[in-house]
Amino acid sequence: PTRELMTEVASSIFEPTTQVFIPVPNSRTGNGPNKDTFIPFDKNGTRAPDYATIGTYLGIVLRTGFAQDLPFAPIVWKYLAKETITAADIYAIDSALEEQMKNIQTNCELEYTQWQIESWDGTMTILPGHSPGTLVKPEEASQYVHEVIAYRIATLKPMLKVMRTAFRANIGFNTHPLLTGKLLARMAQGSPVIATEHLKAITVVTDYDGLNDPYIVRFWRAIDRFTSDQRRLLLKFVTTLTRPPNSTINPDFRIQIDRMQVKNPDDMLPTA
């Protein structure tokens, strides 16, 4: 039940009805390598306890070693690891904004450009300190780009800061010189690719003639034809987990295959 709860929590974070994370802009345009990732978005600024819960949950995931599918945008992992957030991190999840800002800086394409910005959810917002309808002058192009990036980062920080504070409190330390966003993402998520050999390595066979039993050989032959996503679903069916757990923290984690004790096994579906 604990493992199943952890998997369901991971899934619920990204459900549209939960309204604590939204897809990055690249998801709306179908562009970029990080199009299927998510960022925090709290339009009314009232969900701080929820982001604290998520931060605590991430700490539990790391400590227990039960890796989860957590498609946070890279900028989220970087902030949790206390790395510096730059314009490149914003552009990585919003390629349309990158193209727009480069055109403004390089070609000064500012005709009818106002001091406003498209927010993470696609709505238009006046940049702080400016009045509606005010146009950006050519000599203000660099300042405009700077303020756009600063605004985008600033609107993420309140939620990320709450998450990071709760995360640190749960794992018991604030910083580590070796911790990076990429490493943290890997530790929390494990590998998204599940190979047949990986499943074999954590599987124990009982009631049969070991791994060389004809039925077991056929079983693994079928699993080998699965895609990685199908093997992930099999793992979830058997264990409730979507990723193999961290073997260092969970060295005794095993999948066990038992012979089904029924009158006619060929008339039955597998159970777990």
Side-chain angles (χ1 to χ4, degrees):
T2 300
R3 294 200 305 264
E4 185 170 14
L5 175 62
M6 290 181 68
T7 301
E8 291 303 313
V9 169
S11 176
S12 72
I13 292 172
F14 307 99
E15 285 289 335
T17 54
T18 308
Q19 295 183 342
V20 287
F21 274 77
I22 62 173
V24 298
N26 282 347
S27 293
R28 298 194 291 268
T29 60
N31 295 328
N34 299 311
K35 69 181 184 69
D36 296 321
T37 55
F38 294 78
I39 51 174
F41 187 76
D42 185 9
K43 192 167 188 176
N44 299 318
T46 59
R47 307 292 296 273
D50 296 323
Y51 293 107
T53 300
I54 293 170
T56 300
Y57 168 75
L58 292 177
I60 295 172
V61 168
L62 257 67
R63 290 189 298 98
T64 61
F66 289 124
Q68 302 292 334
D69 184 11
L70 297 164
F72 295 125
I75 194 172
V76 175
W77 296 113
K78 286 190 69 173
Y79 191 89
L80 292 176
K82 210 172 181 180
E83 290 188 89
T84 302
I85 306 301
T86 67
D89 299 308
I90 301 298
Y91 293 152
I93 54 179
D94 193 346
S95 54
L97 180 70
E98 178 182 21
E99 183 177 354
Q100 179 188 358
M101 295 301 103
K102 284 185 176 179
N103 285 336
I104 288 175
Q105 281 188 306
T106 305
N107 305 318
C108 290
E109 295 183 4
L110 287 166
E111 187 175 9
Y112 305 119
T113 298
Q114 300 183 33
W115 288 90
Q116 60 182 9
I117 177 61
E118 185 178 11
S119 298
W120 289 112
D121 65 343
T123 59
M124 298 303 297
T125 304
I126 303 297
L127 287 167
H130 298 279
S131 302
T134 305
L135 297 179
V136 181
K137 301 174 184 177
E139 62 271 20
E140 298 172 323
S142 294
Q143 180 187 347
Y144 173 73
V145 172
H146 173 77
E147 290 191 23
V148 165
I149 299 302
Y151 178 81
R152 280 290 189 89
I153 295 174
T155 53
L156 291 178
K157 277 189 174 181
M159 295 82 75
L160 293 176
K161 186 175 181 179
V162 171
M163 286 177 60
R164 188 170 67 185
T165 300
F167 171 71
R168 288 177 178 177
N170 191 269
I171 61 176
F173 63 87
N174 288 337
T175 58
H176 192 285
L178 298 180
L179 188 62
T180 65
K182 287 183 178 180
L183 177 59
L184 182 57
R186 177 73 179 196
M187 291 169 64
Q189 297 187 96
S191 173
V193 179
I194 300 178
T196 304
E197 292 303 317
H198 196 163
L199 292 179
K200 278 186 178 180
I202 57 174
T203 298
V204 175
V205 178
T206 63
D207 298 332
Y208 290 93
D209 186 22
L211 292 174
N212 295 321
D213 186 277
Y215 289 103
I216 301 302
V217 171
R218 291 175 197 165
F219 172 78
W220 289 116
R221 190 181 301 151
I223 300 308
D224 205 35
R225 294 174 182 171
F226 281 14
T227 65
S228 181
D229 284 344
Q230 289 172 326
R231 283 190 283 270
R232 177 178 57 80
L233 290 172
L234 173 68
L235 181 68
K236 185 176 182 181
F237 173 71
V238 177
T239 69
T240 76
L241 297 173
T242 57
R243 307 282 174 92
N246 185 316
S247 58
T248 302
I249 301 176
N250 300 280
D252 299 325
F253 182 86
R254 292 290 183 269
I255 295 173
Q256 181 170 305
I257 298 179
D258 296 314
R259 187 188 298 272
M260 184 176 283
Q261 301 296 338
V262 294
K263 186 176 181 179
N264 189 356
D266 288 342
D267 290 340
M268 303 293 292
L269 291 171
T271 62

